Amino acid sequence: MPRHLLTIPDLSAAELRTVLSLAQRADLPRVLDGRGAALIFEKPSNRTRHSMEMAVVQLGGHPVYTRGEEVGFDRREPVEDVTRVMAGYHGLLAARVFSHGVVERMAAVSAVPVINMLSDWAHPLQALADVLTMEQVHGDLRGRVVAWVGDYNNVARSLAEACVLLGADVALACPNGYGASAGELERLNLLGAGAVVDRRRPIDAVDGAIAVHTDTWTSMGQEAEKAERERAFESYAVTAELMAHAAGGAGFYHCMPAYRGVEVSAEVMDGAHSHAIAQAHNRLHAARAAIAFVMGER
């Protein structure tokens, strides 16, 4: 059976550590040598497209970028038909989709590995880059506190899962109605050695944190909610004043695109303690490692 990566918990704690080790290697074998990789994008992207295409090339493969309208999942053809056909052409399939159910259906019938490049439920490649960057900056994450300020979305979920598996604690600060449910918190706290707590107030979440993460308040597909979300999140911006309550030397992290003056101040985003650009660059190393892992490299 092929190995898929749809969510971070598809990896054990030991396997996550293996992927992070692969991300730091400059000598990965060409696991896609002479093979194609279908990269399907229902949602446009900057970091995901460039990092995945270059990762495939560096691993010896040929990336084939495909727009969502070209395959027309469940419009032109069922997801399963698209997947079975493409699996006969390529050594790897990867998809950036609106619905997580699409990548689950792909994985259920694919004869080759499937990687989730983003869905409404999870963003595992971003989480790999996040924890990789934090370890480069702060060292071992075990027993450390990582704060998330803003919407508990797909990025937050995958980050929390990765942190818990690595033994880090996660403090969430989300407005009412935009946080993790009690059931979700229970699920996260059963995953690994780390703990996830809902602090609600940003000032409480960042207290003692070595890393403060946020994301845009309005993601693709939520444009109709923008005004409502901005009202709900207006006290959840990451500012220099908020960062001052974090641990000494705490870093700021953002998956980008970042909207200065909205979820983060320009002073923080462009300041000396911002690691957002390093995160973006690590998307390449994370993608390369994830591909190598699902293709069997250990």
Side-chain angles (χ1 to χ4, degrees):
M1 293 292 293
R3 186 65 190 266
H4 308 300
L5 180 57
L6 307 186
T7 68
I8 288 296
D10 287 340
L11 304 169
S12 67
E15 288 172 333
L16 174 55
R17 175 53 55 200
T18 295
V19 173
L20 294 176
S21 295
L22 292 174
Q24 299 180 71
R25 284 176 51 183
D27 62 339
L28 288 176
R30 293 167 62 87
V31 295
L32 288 172
D33 194 23
R35 308 180 77 180
L39 309 180
I40 305 168
F41 284 79
E42 285 191 324
K43 286 186 171 185
S45 174
N46 174 10
R47 283 152 293 278
T48 301
R49 179 177 180 181
H50 285 268
S51 60
M52 283 293 286
E53 287 199 12
M54 289 308 304
V56 169
V57 169
Q58 291 173 7
L59 293 173
H62 179 82
V64 178
Y65 172 80
T66 305
R67 299 191 307 274
E69 60 266 30
E70 293 179 281
V71 293
F73 283 140
D74 291 334
R75 295 187 303 277
R76 293 187 68 247
E77 292 186 84
V79 169
E80 290 78 7
D81 286 358
V82 173
T83 302
R84 290 188 180 102
V85 169
M86 285 193 170
Y89 302 147
H90 301 284
L92 173 79
L93 307 182
R96 180 178 169 93
V97 299
F98 285 96
S99 172
H100 189 71
V102 170
V103 289
E104 290 180 322
R105 289 167 63 189
M106 291 178 68
V109 300
S110 180
V112 300
V114 174
I115 291 179
N116 176 13
M117 297 190 295
L118 175 141
S119 68
D120 58 349
W121 177 259
H123 199 348
L125 296 180
Q126 181 64 53
L128 292 175
D130 292 346
V131 293
L132 176 63
T133 310
M134 285 191 290
E135 288 197 335
Q136 290 170 344
V137 175
H138 307 289
D140 194 338
L141 296 180
R142 284 177 294 186
R144 317 294 285 278
V145 177
V146 174
W148 176 272
V149 179
D151 191 11
Y152 184 73
N153 57 14
N154 49 358
V155 176
R157 177 177 292 108
S158 293
L159 172 65
E161 291 168 343
C163 286
V164 167
L165 285 174
L166 294 174
D169 296 331
V170 179
L172 302 174
C174 311
N176 186 40
Y178 296 93
S181 67
E184 174 71 352
L185 289 172
E186 181 179 4
R187 181 189 71 86
L188 291 171
N189 280 296
L190 292 174
L191 283 180
V196 182
V197 293
D198 183 358
R199 297 296 189 206
R200 185 60 63 88
R201 298 200 311 160
I203 195 171
D204 295 329
V206 305
D207 183 32
I210 54 109
V212 178
H213 289 251
T214 193
D215 189 8
T216 178
W217 295 340
T218 306
S219 298
M220 280 182 283
Q222 299 172 335
E223 289 80 6
E225 306 171 24
K226 183 177 180 180
E228 178 184 348
R229 283 175 166 270
E230 288 185 352
R231 286 192 297 270
F233 285 85
E234 62 181 352
S235 62
Y236 284 77
V238 179
T239 62
E241 291 75 20
L242 182 63
M243 289 296 297
H245 291 275
F252 172 74
Y253 298 83
H254 197 304
C255 61
M256 303 179 77
Y259 299 93
R260 293 159 177 82
V262 184
E263 75 273 6
V264 58
S265 69
E267 180 182 10
V268 172
M269 181 66 191
D270 302 317
H273 295 290
S274 173
H275 303 290
I277 299 302
Q279 272 178 279
H281 291 166
N282 275 334
R283 287 291 304 275
L284 170 59
H285 305 300
R288 193 171 56 237
I291 294 169
F293 182 84
V294 299
M295 296 301 294
E297 181 62 21
R298 299 294 184 271

